[in-house]
Amino acid sequence: MTARHRVVALTPQQWITMNWYPQAPTEVRWHMHILSKTSELPDPLEPYLRVDRTRIEHECWVVGHMVAGIDGTAAVHGKVGPLSTGPDQSLFRRMRRIADIVMVGAETVRREGYGVIRLDEEARAARTACGRPQTPPVAIVSRSLDLDWTARVFTDAPTHARTQLITCAASDPDRRAQAAEVADVIIAGDDQVDPAEAFAALAARGHGVVLCEGGPTWLGEIVAADRLDELCLSISPVIGGDPLPVCVNPAGAGIADFELLGTGVEDSTLFLRYEKKAGERGD
């Protein structure tokens, strides 16, 4: 990504106070902040590298990284690629540096043609310096196990980052046997993949930071299970596409509250970083 990426800052001089007067005599005062561009960031990844992800509440720290259009759509003709701008694609690839493992749903693997994770020399050296493998493995979540076992995400995986396949006990045993020939198979849940069990299994393998790259259905399951700690959301300057939101919540799911902690913009792509509200963590 070029140095045109700018962080949006909040400064007290730019605050605006808005008063809302309801019918009741009690005055409610809202405070709105104007976001303005500041100086250019030398490295757009730097704010994300500064985040403390050791504050683990459950099994591990789970980061969702998604892109959406202005209207909230998460795909165009079934794929996310047409939504992603150049700045988003660059940050998306580089964000994998923070991960112990990159998690993705099977449908996203099939549609997007996922391969193994590749990082540049600087990122590999930085990971090696802090005792981590040069690249993180991919973890695919699938109940059906309807996958191409000759795909690059399996055949190109290095020995230090063998692909993980997370499924449930109800999955087809013959397909599990096929999967075991090209990946490490993890059983998490009985009739469907259980997020808490999946993350517990990954944590037991030493994966403290899980970067989830979708899709929307699996992200919804994670949120419903109260396992999403951080969401990095890119807003692409387009309207249109499929009627598919960034997060597809399962029936009966409650509301999860998040706090906006980081903003950035390059060209017209907006970058938002949220964390689960402190009160929601039981602090």
Side-chain angles (χ1 to χ4, degrees):
M1 189 180 296
T2 69
R4 294 192 307 276
H5 187 108
R6 300 171 183 265
V7 170
V8 178
L10 297 177
T11 60
Q13 292 79 9
Q14 296 163 340
W15 291 354
I16 288 182
T17 299
M18 299 183 65
N19 295 326
W20 170 55
Y21 299 97
Q23 295 298 319
T26 303
E27 176 184 315
V28 178
R29 173 167 291 186
W30 302 94
H31 297 279
M32 178 180 288
H33 304 275
I34 290 194
L35 304 180
S36 64
K37 296 179 181 179
T38 62
S39 59
E40 296 180 1
L41 263 178
D43 182 0
L45 187 64
E46 193 269 338
Y48 300 93
L49 295 177
R50 288 203 312 259
V51 177
D52 177 12
R53 298 185 174 89
T54 64
R55 300 163 290 145
I56 296 173
E57 178 186 6
H58 296 294
E59 302 82 14
C60 46
W61 183 275
V62 181
V63 185
H65 196 181
M66 304 290 285
V67 61
I70 297 172
D71 55 358
T73 185
V76 177
H77 302 307
K79 293 187 175 183
V80 70
L83 277 177
S84 185
T85 62
D88 173 65
Q89 291 173 15
S90 177
L91 183 63
F92 189 84
R93 290 190 297 268
R94 297 188 65 206
M95 273 288 288
R96 291 165 166 176
R97 172 176 165 179
I98 72 167
D100 290 318
I101 193 165
V102 175
M103 174 180 274
V104 64
E107 183 65 15
T108 302
V109 170
R110 288 188 288 263
R111 288 183 178 271
E112 304 294 337
Y114 257 67
V116 298
I117 304 303
R118 303 189 188 281
L119 298 175
D120 60 30
E121 184 177 352
E122 178 186 358
R124 296 196 305 271
R127 289 174 61 92
T128 300
C130 61
R132 303 169 83 185
Q134 287 194 346
T135 56
V138 174
I140 302 172
V141 180
S142 176
R143 185 192 188 283
S144 68
L145 298 181
D146 181 15
L147 293 161
D148 177 6
W149 308 120
T150 65
R152 293 179 300 112
V153 72
F154 299 112
T155 60
D156 291 355
T159 54
H160 74 268
R162 196 166 193 246
T163 297
Q164 314 286 295
L165 200 294
I166 304 174
T167 189
C168 60
S171 60
D172 183 88
D174 292 334
R175 289 186 175 180
R176 284 206 306 271
Q178 289 178 308
E181 295 179 3
V182 294
D184 293 339
V185 177
I186 297 172
I187 304 297
D190 297 325
D191 294 328
Q192 61 184 14
V193 177
D194 181 270
E197 291 189 29
F199 293 127
L202 294 180
R205 288 163 171 77
H207 303 309
V209 177
V210 179
L211 178 63
C212 178
E213 296 182 346
T217 300
W218 177 240
L219 183 65
E221 295 289 343
I222 294 173
V223 174
D226 189 32
R227 289 306 190 271
L228 186 66
D229 299 289
E230 179 183 0
L231 176 64
C232 299
L233 178 63
S234 301
I235 305 296
S236 183
V238 299
I239 291 178
D242 303 342
L244 176 69
V246 165
C247 186
V248 177
N249 303 302
I255 297 296
D257 291 327
F258 285 78
E259 182 178 8
L260 180 63
L261 294 179
T263 54
V265 64
E266 181 171 357
D267 295 336
S268 292
T269 304
L270 182 63
F271 300 91
L272 306 174
R273 195 184 75 81
Y274 293 89
E275 285 188 20
K276 189 191 303 182
K277 273 192 174 180
E280 299 297 307
R281 296 179 178 278
D283 293 350

